[in-house]
Amino acid sequence: MKRSWYFLSLGILLVSVLIHQLLLLISGLLLFLILFLIDIWGTFCLVNLRYQRSFSQQRASFGEEIVLTQLLENAKLLPLSWVRVSDRVPLALVFRGLSPHLIPDGRRAIIESLFSPRWYERISRSYRLRCLARGVHTFGPTVLWSGDLFGFVSRSQELDNREQILVYPPLVPLTRLGLPARHPFGERRMPQRLLEDPARVSGIRDYRQGDELRRVHWKASARAMRLQSKVYEASATYMLALFLNMPPPLSLLELGVSQELKELAICTAASVADWGLQAGYAVGLYCNGMLSGLAGSGAGPESLPSGQSHDDLEPRSSMIRLPPASGARQRQRILEALARAEPCYGEPIEAVMGAERSRLPFGATVVLVTSTINEALISALQGFQRSGHPVCILCIGQVQLPATKMPGVQVQHIGGEGTWRAILASFERGQDTPGST
């Protein structure tokens, strides 16, 4: 408070003493006490005031509900009559029973919560939100407001507490995309490449340099007094190489349309990959897009699955490259990459396909998800055919195939904006369970 108010209260006290006015003396004392309390609250209201935001989970399936919890702690003897918490949240997520206040840019929202913590008190509030938007969603920063009981003084503090949650793309049955339930990409061909099956041990041998620790047979090593390694039986594996074409928008007028086609393409790629892994395929993902939420977003190595680094997804360029593999870990890698995937002005998909053609084993099925087709892309697909790969094209939107004949290439039309809106509406109504395939 300004010193003039203190001088005024002292002046009132002095006059009341000189003229012996008790009522004036009480008024001066009350004014001085109020000014003193206002200064106390204004100085110490934000001291030892702690705010924490937490989530029931950092990763969520499309359509899943997660819980956002706000925890405010007043770790001091001074009670606070009011504390306003303004927490920035992504507008794309749907809050249940809450309408956040919009901020000017239109893409973020603010949750304003009012607390009245007493001395050494913790107060928590929870909000439920539905994850109906794929991608990396950032929460924060948070602004804390507090002040005196009378509202004369207020103080604010901004907390740099940005956090992120990751929402995976929607997974739908292939029949929802118009694909056959059985053999959607043609009959399986027996691959020529044989891989070792870790679940089937056929014997043991001496340890060789380079053997993984999980291959070591510790009981046999103890008996032989030297390291022994397991010998696995060879088994055939089917491979599915999934190429996702994410061309950048050509103009601002196309952003609305291309956004829906982009989400449908990513949904299609995620659903095909999930189906392939469940059907016993070793699935690989290749995309000419980039990963959002990595550089400059606060996402560190801890935000990735165990044992995975950023280099696994984008080794030396903006492309996303995950070589074929199977298992739950590969499923998480693919869904993680597709959740972060965004278009960029990088290499065209035909360049990505040309670089990977020599790396794929003979007989691996190539599936292309694309909303555009040109002669260069047709040439790249024909190159895969000449190398002994079955090829399938999943067309997104109104794709006009060139007059060039493509014998032996399976073409499936997934749909356009209407198909994506129908999928989104089914998740909004709760008809599709998160993660269903």
Side-chain angles (χ1 to χ4, degrees), residues 1 5-6 9 30-40:
M1 295 293 293
W5 287 96
Y6 282 102
S9 64
L30 287 176
L31 178 59
F32 183 83
L33 180 61
I34 290 173
L35 294 174
F36 179 73
L37 291 178
I38 289 175
D39 269 349
I40 291 294

Side-chain angles (χ1 to χ4, degrees), residues 101-382:
H101 299 289
L102 300 182
I103 63 175
D105 66 3
R107 293 175 298 175
R108 304 293 302 279
I110 292 179
I111 293 180
E112 287 194 345
S113 304
L114 194 62
F115 299 85
S116 299
R118 295 173 293 183
W119 50 88
Y120 297 104
E121 183 181 21
R122 290 183 178 183
I123 303 177
S124 64
R125 291 180 183 172
S126 298
Y127 304 98
R128 303 186 69 86
L129 54 94
R130 290 198 68 191
C131 302
L132 293 175
R134 171 199 65 90
V136 181
H137 302 282
T138 303
F139 292 74
T142 303
V143 180
L144 302 180
W145 298 82
S146 187
D148 65 283
L149 175 63
F150 311 100
F152 292 113
V153 176
S154 64
R155 299 284 185 266
S156 65
Q157 179 185 6
E158 182 170 322
L159 307 178
D160 188 12
N161 58 348
R162 292 176 175 85
E163 294 181 273
Q164 294 180 337
I165 65 170
L166 184 69
V167 179
Y168 293 127
L171 300 177
V172 298
L174 295 190
T175 52
R176 288 285 305 275
L177 302 174
L179 298 175
R182 296 189 60 186
H183 307 300
F185 310 115
E187 295 290 336
R188 292 188 181 188
R189 297 182 183 179
M190 181 61 65
Q192 295 184 354
R193 181 180 180 182
L194 296 179
L195 299 179
E196 293 180 322
D197 187 353
R200 302 163 64 186
V201 179
S202 62
I204 58 174
R205 59 167 172 78
D206 289 338
Y207 176 84
R208 299 173 186 171
Q209 187 175 2
D211 285 350
E212 298 179 352
L213 286 179
R214 63 180 178 178
R215 181 187 282 271
V216 175
H217 197 301
W218 297 108
K219 291 184 179 180
S221 299
R223 290 194 299 267
M225 300 300 292
R226 63 180 185 275
L227 287 177
Q228 301 289 304
S229 295
K230 302 173 186 176
V231 177
Y232 301 125
E233 292 184 11
S235 62
T237 183
Y238 297 94
M239 288 197 177
L240 186 67
L242 185 60
F243 289 87
L244 174 60
N245 185 18
M246 297 186 67
L250 300 179
S251 67
L252 294 177
L253 297 177
E254 296 181 358
L255 286 177
V257 176
S258 62
Q259 179 73 13
E260 293 181 331
L261 294 182
K262 178 192 72 175
E263 294 302 324
L264 178 59
I266 292 176
C267 171
T268 300
S271 301
V272 169
D274 186 67
W275 171 87
L277 290 170
Q278 292 192 25
Y281 283 87
V283 181
L285 174 66
Y286 308 90
C287 177
N288 58 334
M290 67 177 183
L291 296 177
S292 65
L294 292 181
S297 63
E302 66 277 1
S303 67
L304 295 175
S306 176
Q308 181 180 349
S309 67
H310 295 161
D311 293 338
D312 292 332
L313 299 175
E314 45 177 0
R316 280 172 290 187
S317 66
S318 61
M319 66 170 285
I320 300 171
R321 179 178 181 271
L322 287 172
S326 57
R329 184 179 176 186
Q330 180 71 355
R331 181 181 186 271
Q332 185 176 7
R333 283 180 170 180
I334 291 177
L335 292 181
E336 170 106 13
L338 291 175
R340 297 181 183 271
E342 293 295 339
C344 69
Y345 293 90
E347 295 181 339
I349 190 63
E350 54 265 22
V352 176
M353 299 174 73
E356 298 299 327
R357 190 176 66 182
S358 60
R359 300 177 184 176
L360 292 179
F362 180 85
T365 301
V366 173
V367 177
L368 171 66
V369 182
T370 182
S371 58
T372 61
I373 292 182
N374 52 38
E375 292 293 340
L377 192 50
I378 295 297
S379 178
L381 294 173
Q382 290 174 342

